[in-house]
Amino acid sequence: MAVTVQNSAQLDLERQDVRSDHGKFRLQYFKATQDGVGDATSSWNLCKLPPGNVRVLPGLSRYSISALGAARTLDFGHLAYENSVDGALIAADPDAFVADIDASSAITGAALDTAIKIDLYSRRGITVTAQVNDATIPDAAVLEGYIAYAYE
């Protein structure tokens, strides 16, 4: 065996993606309170990420939610948006960031997911959503937190 030195793929690039090379760390805060009972698959529109190249950082994003009751799961994703490259419509994906978080009990300050990054490209921004599955959202349920992302 031998001692080796290897470069990352990013170090070998002549021009870096701005999100990888000194992108600014930003937080988008949200707080949603349910007004009336919502049926299964009801959702909250939480916040809007800016247009352009955005790198969502799920491992640094945090949320807290009140207890929703037995057998409730929570997804985080986004509404449909226009791709910034060619203007194609990207379909809504309610669990793009994370799927099936157990939300039967109250959760405080949990990381959104363990994923390192999710890269998104949009012309007009992307609305982040949370959807409750399997049963109703109780009246006055509260979901609060922030989405961490890199952006230039």
Side-chain angles (χ1 to χ4, degrees), residues 28 47-56 77-85 87-92 97 120-129 149 151:
Q28 180 66 52
C47 59
K48 191 165 185 176
L49 299 173
N53 296 332
V54 175
R55 176 167 285 163
V56 175
H78 58 75
L79 295 180
Y81 65 92
E82 268 186 83
N83 184 311
S84 64
V85 176
L89 185 64
I90 305 300
F97 302 146
L120 303 170
Y121 313 90
S122 74
R123 285 191 175 177
R124 293 182 177 87
I126 299 169
T127 301
V128 176
T129 63
Y149 63 98
Y151 182 72

Side-chain angles (χ1 to χ4, degrees), residues 52-95:
N53 296 332
V54 175
R55 176 167 285 163
V56 175
L57 307 168
L60 298 176
S61 300
R62 297 282 184 269
Y63 71 96
S64 295
I65 191 164
S66 55
L68 299 183
R72 266 72 163 197
T73 61
L74 184 64
D75 296 341
F76 283 87
H78 58 75
L79 295 180
Y81 65 92
E82 268 186 83
N83 184 311
S84 64
V85 176
D86 59 9
L89 185 64
I90 305 300
D93 188 348
D95 62 0

Side-chain angles (χ1 to χ4, degrees), residues 81-141:
Y81 65 92
E82 268 186 83
N83 184 311
S84 64
V85 176
D86 59 9
L89 185 64
I90 305 300
D93 188 348
D95 62 0
F97 302 146
V98 65
D100 298 327
I101 297 168
D102 180 2
S104 55
S105 301
I107 301 168
T108 303
L112 193 62
D113 194 25
T114 57
I116 297 295
K117 68 176 182 71
I118 299 169
D119 291 335
L120 303 170
Y121 313 90
S122 74
R123 285 191 175 177
R124 293 182 177 87
I126 299 169
T127 301
V128 176
T129 63
Q131 176 178 289
V132 175
N133 305 307
D134 310 314
T136 60
I137 302 176
D139 185 35

